[in-house]
Amino acid sequence: MKSFYITTAIDYVNGSPHLGHAYEKVLTDVIARFRRQMGDRVHFLTGVDEHGQKVQASARERGIPPQQFCDEVSAEFRALLPRLNVANDDFIRTTEARHKRVVAALLQQLFDQGEIYQAEYRGFYSTRQEQFLQDKDRNPDGSWPELFGEVTEITEKNYFFKLAQYQAWLVEFLTKHEDFIFPRYRQKQVLEFLKDPLNDLCISRPRERLEWGIPLPFDPAYVTYVWFDALVNYYSAVADSGQWPADCHVIGKDILVPPHAVYWPIMLHALGLPLPKSLLVHGWWSINGVKMSKSTGNFIEPGEYVAEFGVDALRYFLIREMNVGQDSDFTRAQFLVRYNSELANNLGNLVNRTLNMTTRFAGGAVPAAEVAEDLEKELHALWDKTRAEVIPLCEGFQFHTALERTMAFVTATNAYIEKRAPWKLGKSAAPADVALLRTSLATMAEALRLAVALLQHVTPSTTAKINAVLGYTPGANWPDELAWGTKLTGAKVAAALVLFPRPAPADKAPAKP
Ligand code: ME8
């Protein structure tokens, strides 16, 4: 069995989780579930990033110790995961002893290897981004971009990691491993960034300025720079279980360059550790074109959509709407379009018809198909094509297209029902009509079973509910579930299932953009 270790970014706990965080966790869960279905032994890690200036400042604002603040906010992030149906195997907090121990050990190793030195540093510092800035970061008019918040000039002694000496190695590595970063054009952006010379990385903050961090093992007057601490989570969580390296780090585009594409590979290389196999870089959810973010207050609360529409409706929308890697605008109107037309009126309709007609015309037990005329053959052929396309699409992270194809198959099944019109066949006692009626009932039930098997990693609860009302328990081998066959013959179906109820009238719904 192939192992597959996948991670998400670990979220800053300086505010509550928003839809952008929810998306990343759902996307990673969809990949993890898909890999499990394909037979891999998956390890899925997510967690929270609890150190640093922003957390210290947020705790001060609330007048509570930073650890208490982290405990409260981390609990909120953690609680969101089961609400989103995210089945992670581990959750790491950077304030945990298992993490701090590994960060200290790696820093000590680099120090002993002579990769870390102390020097005086004078420069412009962004508190919001927790990084020193360079002149090239300025706007053309000399001001600092909004992204950096307040920028102040400071002089202090600090520790530096010899990053620059690995620049040529990194360029060579990225040139040789074209598939390291998905989408590929992001890899080109990294190489573009590496055309300018790298500076060594300041990896310490004096304790008098920032207390809330992991002390440097070789000089406790300093704490570790937050990125050097945070990136190590991917390794510290599995350091004892031998699961390193990761197969895939899922991250947003804002944290690719430099942290994940430059610092992290170089840190690992300097430590003599294997590199992760790939980085999957997703885009941003925005509202009216502006990135969702906690600091601007411009965000959607994922829990509200889960409460109003159910977890699978939100998961379906997030994965159907966003082409992994690109940006998407979130609007309630677009959410409702997909909810109504794809989930309620297409999939929900197929479920209702199947249950209703099997109950009405076959006493609630799925009959065996008796004939295969052109209409059936066309649907079988479309299924074969859909299955053959969807698996490679999911392997290549094209989940939005995979869902589109799956829903096109559901649409075709509804069209098949219209053409066969079992409600007319049910009025006839002619043997040919009876055979066609049984065939149409068997065909719609089997098509529904197959479609929901393809939706399983995106909408796991919906798939489970539909299987239950079809009186069906899927086998352990998912690819086997995708063969058109007779698995449902004789199954006792339930009379009805309300899956995607009509949303409340707009005036009763929470205010949304
Ligand atoms: O960057 N749309 O934490 P974070 C999509 N602690 N994704 C979004 C988003 C949006 N509007 N806003 C944020 C950090 N994200 C660090 C990571 S990893 C070792 C340390 C994504 O809470 C963002 O791109 O600011 C990132 O991948 C994740 O949420 C956490 O962001």
Side-chain angles (χ1 to χ4, degrees), residues 42 113 185 416:
V42 172
Q113 284 174 205
Y185 65 86
Y416 163 84

Side-chain angles (χ1 to χ4, degrees), residues 262-318:
V262 179
Y263 303 162
W264 185 223
I266 291 181
M267 282 161 68
L268 289 165
H269 181 65
L271 286 158
L273 290 169
L275 264 52
K277 308 256 174 63
S278 67
L279 305 179
L280 174 60
V281 186
H282 64 75
W284 285 341
W285 284 96
S286 58
I287 300 175
N288 297 326
V290 180
K291 185 197 173 209
M292 257 185 233
S293 114
K294 289 174 279 199
S295 51
T296 57
N298 179 49
F299 63 86
I300 298 281
E301 187 89 60
E304 282 182 14
Y305 275 78
V306 172
E308 194 179 354
F309 298 98
V311 57
D312 279 356
L314 180 64
R315 286 174 63 105
Y316 178 84
F317 179 76
L318 293 175

Side-chain angles (χ1 to χ4, degrees), residues 458-473:
V458 181
T459 57
S461 328
T462 301
T463 295
K465 279 185 202 158
I466 296 175
N467 280 329
V469 292
L470 286 176
Y472 181 64
T473 309

Side-chain angles (χ1 to χ4, degrees), residues 207-357:
R207 250 198 148 132
E208 67 256 20
R209 187 151 66 76
L210 175 67
E211 260 178 83
W212 189 236
I214 301 176
L216 292 184
F218 42 83
D219 189 345
Y222 291 85
V223 300
T224 312
Y225 170 49
V226 69
W227 273 109
F228 206 99
D229 164 352
L231 288 163
V232 172
N233 91 87
Y234 304 132
Y235 175 73
S236 65
V238 296
D240 295 335
S241 64
Q243 289 174 96
W244 186 258
D247 291 271
C248 184
H249 290 318
V250 179
I251 55 167
K253 64 179 185 179
D254 49 325
I255 56 172
L256 176 66
V257 185
H260 284 83
V262 179
Y263 303 162
W264 185 223
I266 291 181
M267 282 161 68
L268 289 165
H269 181 65
L271 286 158
L273 290 169
L275 264 52
K277 308 256 174 63
S278 67
L279 305 179
L280 174 60
V281 186
H282 64 75
W284 285 341
W285 284 96
S286 58
I287 300 175
N288 297 326
V290 180
K291 185 197 173 209
M292 257 185 233
S293 114
K294 289 174 279 199
S295 51
T296 57
N298 179 49
F299 63 86
I300 298 281
E301 187 89 60
E304 282 182 14
Y305 275 78
V306 172
E308 194 179 354
F309 298 98
V311 57
D312 279 356
L314 180 64
R315 286 174 63 105
Y316 178 84
F317 179 76
L318 293 175
I319 300 300
R320 173 70 184 88
E321 185 71 12
M322 195 179 247
N323 177 346
V324 176
Q326 295 178 12
D327 297 338
S328 280
D329 215 48
F330 190 98
T331 65
R332 185 177 170 89
Q334 177 66 358
F335 182 94
L336 285 174
V337 165
R338 292 210 185 277
Y339 180 86
N340 287 322
S341 67
E342 298 175 26
L343 293 176
N345 298 340
N346 198 18
L347 180 62
N349 192 19
L350 177 58
V351 173
N352 288 339
R353 287 167 139 184
T354 305
L355 299 183
N356 181 317
M357 290 189 229

Side-chain angles (χ1 to χ4, degrees), residues 9-12 18 21 24 49 252 254-255 282-285 292:
I10 50 171
D11 302 325
Y12 286 129
H18 60 65
H21 299 115
E24 183 176 282
D49 189 355
D254 49 325
I255 56 172
H282 64 75
W284 285 341
W285 284 96
M292 257 185 233

